[in-house]
Amino acid sequence: MAEYLIKNGFIFDPVLGIKGDVADVAIKDGKIVETTALSSPKVIDATGKTVMAGGVDVHAHVAGPKVNIGRNFRPEDKLFNCTPGHGIERMQGGFSVPTTIRTGYNYAHMGYTTVMEAAMPPLYARHTHEEMRDTPILDQGAYPVFGNNWFVLEYLKNHEIENTAAYIAWLLRATKGYAVKVVNPGGTEAWGWGLNCDNVHDPVPYFDITPAQIIKGLIEANEYLGLPHSMHMHANNLGNPGNYTTTLDSFKLSEGIKPNSKFGRDQVMHHTHVQFHSYGGDSWANVESRAKDIMGYVNSHDNITIDMGQVTLDETTTMTADGPFEHHLTELNHLKWANADVELETGSGVVPYLYSPNIKVCGIQWCIGLELALLAKDPMRIFLTTDHPNAGPFIRYPRIMKWLMSQEARDQQFDAFKYKDKVIEATNLAGMDRELNLYEIAQMTRAGPAKSLGLSHMYGGLAPGLDGDVAVYDFNPNEPYAPDDIEKAFSNAKHLFKSGVQVISDHEIANNGNKRTLWVNAKANENPQVMRDIKEKFLRYYTVTLNNYEGSGHYLRNPHVIEVDATQ
Amino acid sequence: MTKTVTDVICPFCGTLCDDLEVVVSDDGKQLLEVYNACAIGAEKFLHSQAKDRITRPRMRQEDGTWKEITYDEAVEYTANMLADAKKPLMYGWSSTNCEAQAVGAEIGEAVGAVMDNTATVCHGTSLIAVQDIGIPSCTLGEVKNRADRVLFWGCNPAHAHPRHMSRYSIFPRGFFTGKGHTGRKVIVVDPRPTDTASLADIHLQIEQGHDYELFDALRVAFKGEKLPDVVAGIPKEKIYEVAETLKSGRFAIIFFGMGVTQSIGKNHNIDAAIAVTRDLNEYTKAAIMPMRGHYNVTGSGQVWGWQFGFPFAVDLSRGFARYNPGETTSNDLLRRDEVDAVFVLGSDPGAHFPFNSVKKIYDLPSVVIDPHETPTSEVCKVHVPVAFVGVEIGGCAYRMDNVPIETRKVVDAPEGMMTDEEFLTRVLARVKELKGV
Ligand code: SF4
Ligand SMILES: [Zn+2]
């Protein structure tokens, strides 16, 4: 493999604690090495440029059944943006739900090298893996959803943590999944009957369990196994005025639980797209920001990490395993609605959405996401996301960096709001003058998410031994710049290395990389009861046989298995 | 000695049964018996064993007779035909695995083809309707475990999807449906007294071609508004009764087929059907599902969806993906002489396209990839027989509810036969050489 020496860049790396000093980065055999380890490297001149590790996305919807529903049912999302292949690039298309090929390239152009698919319905694991196979460059993993799974509901009704853990281990293996995802716990099962669970104590119809029991039980089972990532949470009551209390109630269920993981994470709950969960008021007329309450809690509890779910003010496509929420949304905006309930496991919905700067609520949502990040005491525990494509497409990450780094940029956006005064009244952002620096951005987009995922031994930094994932941006932090320069530079990396391969050279895709699929092979104690339960459910309730459910794994061309031993 | 292979997937219809058992000879070369399949599924397996099966590619001669050629020659002919054509049509893709579909899509991209699948004459109208209004749907297991109201509209699973009713829709006992058949109310809307209709609690013998009106009438009836005395040949009392039956259920499912997707109104019928389902969700839980025909037509729409963004009628001839049904659909292209070569895999347009279109295929350079001799192979210049997907080679297929299932290999293909994927991979490599990419 080629050796590279990236010389004289301004380095921003939370892992090494480097805050913009000029230094060199060396890559050899796919890894970062000491510069002395190189013999005849290819030299990349990064003078006057910013150098960071490859970006890591903890939460995006980029592959699988609901993403593809979004593509296929929105031809308008591809209007005027389908492009021919050139060089080694294949044809691409789509804005908010791009084709897999565009997904890979667009992340790479932003300097991202690892992207986690945030919700994989287990029965559709094959589909998810097929799409990830066709997504170039990126290392990926997918989170199977557990929060409405009948096995989980039945075990946790009686607080059977060991059985839940054995089932999780089995399902991760069957689906080649990465982490335990929970979406509207109990609510999506209720949606099987057109109902919902509105708060953590609202019982799940028929199953005689509350969301609180599901949440706490899954955190405990996750720690019982000691998985790399923590339980990954999308709470009940998403998107509704006044829901911040449900969010706090959900946070509190993690209290007193300590992480048990050899993978270096400190949290036991990652709560995703918190912007959607930080609303006060009791109607759309008086909805207001509760970011202060939310961040007050997060800042004082270090066993939680979160991501933003920042609204980008675009036309986009919402999609979530929160089936009842999407139905609610289609009733609000009267746009087309797809729903896909999945036997014994989960559901999902898809609805297009226009976040307009002319609508007051959209402005408030925009403020709340930024407030969360600007109120954060520790940028290692809050990550930059848009819950792609729910609050906006991931290609806007550099724009969000701009908003986070520049009050001037925020003021420009305020001025573009039709109901500027009302938005300001319902939020706190206008009074905030904090401007994040590139070091903090690197925490929010690299080191933080890598650590939360339990992958800080591979990603997120430039320390020798880590994967050779390095991005070089046309950005000189020591020279004066306009806010838009930030967006421009971070949208279009000059060079990008993935596992030591140069995938972008001079802004052009130069190599399709050697993408890996990460999954977690957790070994739990033999559990005959769980195996009996699995056989029984497949015999009686599933419509595929047990033998046809488990993926053969041949969709994973280049699997990277993370072994966890939870036998005891 | 024989061996029994279990959990075998039936590569015939969109029901995609995965519980077949197949008995094969000890050497794994012969398929002896098939259990659990319906008659048409079993026939598919046993047909693969025909003694007179064609096992090598053939090229048609001037005098109309066939001459055997090698796979190499077939690859060469196919690659050249596609590379030389300005706008080749690559049609079919419904009876093959997703692996082959993905390679085919790459070829289409390299040569600037129009990619179209059998939805074009089947559920393409449904796909268009979904783009208009969305689709509240679910997996078949949701139907099995929850549905107590089952409506079949313009479809006859008793013949087209024989095990659908026993596995998913009418008879099975699921988690919340322990009473099976007796706990479900079955409604059939069909102008004909079909075998499916004979199982129904209510059969609405609709006047042919008036589906849209009846859907609309149901929407009116849900709201308790006034109806004319008779709509689409159905007395209003019956319509109110059906509306009430659907609303009073805990979980209603509508299955629909070609009787409504290809009759007058086409995609507008399906718009209306989906609107009925949306409306029902105001009162109870409801879902709707197209009864997809070929076992993996759904998969080709998925593969093209993630590669190009469109589920059928994808025109790649300008270098990027375009989609405009009516313009980029196979029969429209053939009829207007807009394509200059035809490649068929995993379908039989010779049997299913109008005569005019078939005549055009006959007049053009053409290749068909198919294990069988078919009406299509009768009009093509080259016929490339291949291994049967789901019998002689595995690979992924998507059930009508989009659930992906990996089909299994149960016996070896005859010595020296290629699979779809192998053949396409060779063609792709050769096309790239010819195109210099
Ligand atoms: S119903 Fe369809 S899939 Fe099932 S056995 Fe019959 S033909 Fe095969
Ligand atoms: Zn999400």
Side-chain angles (χ1 to χ4, degrees), chain B residues 154-171:
Chain B
C155 57
N156 185 11
H159 285 195
H161 299 87
R163 297 185 66 213
H164 190 279
M165 298 177 298
S166 60
R167 279 174 63 78
Y168 314 125
S169 50
I170 300 185
F171 299 107

Side-chain angles (χ1 to χ4, degrees), chain A residues 181-242:
Chain A
K181 176 73 186 296
V182 182
V183 178
N184 189 359
T188 301
E189 164 53 33
W191 179 240
W193 303 120
L195 306 169
N196 198 358
C197 294
D198 295 331
N199 62 63
V200 297
H201 304 300
D202 196 358
V204 187
Y206 182 84
F207 284 92
D208 194 21
I209 184 172
T210 63
Q213 288 171 284
I214 302 171
I215 296 166
K216 196 159 193 310
L218 282 171
I219 297 176
E220 289 174 22
N222 198 100
E223 298 314 315
Y224 177 95
L225 289 170
L227 298 178
H229 191 33
S230 63
M231 186 267 238
H232 191 112
M233 175 83 187
H234 154 156
N236 306 86
N237 209 7
L238 173 143
N240 291 322

Side-chain angles (χ1 to χ4, degrees), chain A residues 59 61 118 273 387 390:
Chain A
H59 189 109
H61 301 270
H273 41 68
D387 188 20
N390 283 304

Side-chain angles (χ1 to χ4, degrees), chain A residues 64-65 68-69 71-76 78 82-85 89-93 98-101 123-128 130-131 133-134 150 154 188-194 205-207 327 330-331 334-346 537-555 557, chain B residues 6-9 18-19 98-99 102 105-106 108-110 112 127 130-142 144-147 167-168 173-176 250-251 274 277-278 281-282 284-287 301-312 316-323 395-396 398-399 401-406 408 421:
Chain A
N68 224 28
I69 289 173
R71 295 187 188 101
N72 272 340
F73 100 145
R74 293 204 69 197
E76 69 276 17
K78 283 157 287 272
C82 288
T83 53
E89 292 185 42
R90 288 184 60 186
M91 289 178 183
Q92 300 165 43
T99 58
T100 54
I101 295 149
L123 186 57
Y124 287 91
R126 272 189 199 90
H127 180 167
T128 311
E130 279 187 297
E131 287 199 20
R133 176 199 66 200
D134 284 356
W150 289 3
E154 288 178 356
T188 301
E189 164 53 33
W191 179 240
W193 303 120
Y206 182 84
F207 284 92
H327 181 247
T330 190
E331 287 187 317
H334 303 292
L335 295 180
K336 56 192 171 188
W337 167 53
N339 181 74
D341 292 346
V342 182
E343 61 208 62
L344 290 83
E345 296 179 348
T346 181
K537 285 246 185 328
F538 274 89
L539 216 52
R540 298 182 58 180
Y541 306 128
Y542 270 104
T543 55
V544 299
T545 68
L546 177 54
N547 286 334
N548 286 324
Y549 183 82
E550 296 180 72
S552 71
H554 88 258
Y555 307 105
R557 291 238 172 97
Chain B
T6 64
D7 305 282
V8 174
I9 292 84
D18 74 333
D19 61 342
C98 295
E99 289 80 355
E106 245 188 287
E109 198 172 315
L127 299 171
V130 170
Q131 290 162 350
D132 289 339
I133 185 171
I135 182 165
S137 196
C138 62
T139 67
L140 288 161
E142 286 290 276
K144 169 179 167 173
N145 288 312
R146 296 187 206 262
R167 279 174 63 78
Y168 314 125
R173 294 167 196 274
F175 193 72
F176 297 104
R250 290 199 301 169
F251 187 112
I274 295 171
T277 317
R278 275 188 72 120
N281 274 289
E282 303 301 319
T284 179
K285 179 73 187 206
Q302 295 288 356
V303 172
W304 296 347
W306 76 67
Q307 295 208 352
F308 304 119
F310 308 106
F312 77 116
L316 307 174
S317 67
R318 295 193 194 171
F320 54 89
R322 283 176 72 246
Y323 164 79
C396 195
Y398 284 63
R399 203 164 66 182
D401 55 356
N402 298 304
V403 170
I405 303 178
E406 206 172 329
R408 284 171 197 276
E421 190 187 357

Side-chain angles (χ1 to χ4, degrees), chain A residues 343-384:
Chain A
E343 61 208 62
L344 290 83
E345 296 179 348
T346 181
S348 71
V350 188
V351 176
Y353 199 82
L354 175 64
Y355 291 96
S356 164
N358 295 332
I359 296 174
K360 184 190 78 170
V361 171
C362 299
I364 293 172
Q365 292 176 306
W366 176 82
C367 291
I368 292 174
L370 296 173
E371 286 174 15
L372 295 171
L374 296 174
L375 289 168
K377 288 224 173 84
D378 181 4
M380 283 295 284
R381 294 201 288 120
I382 173 163
F383 316 132
L384 195 163

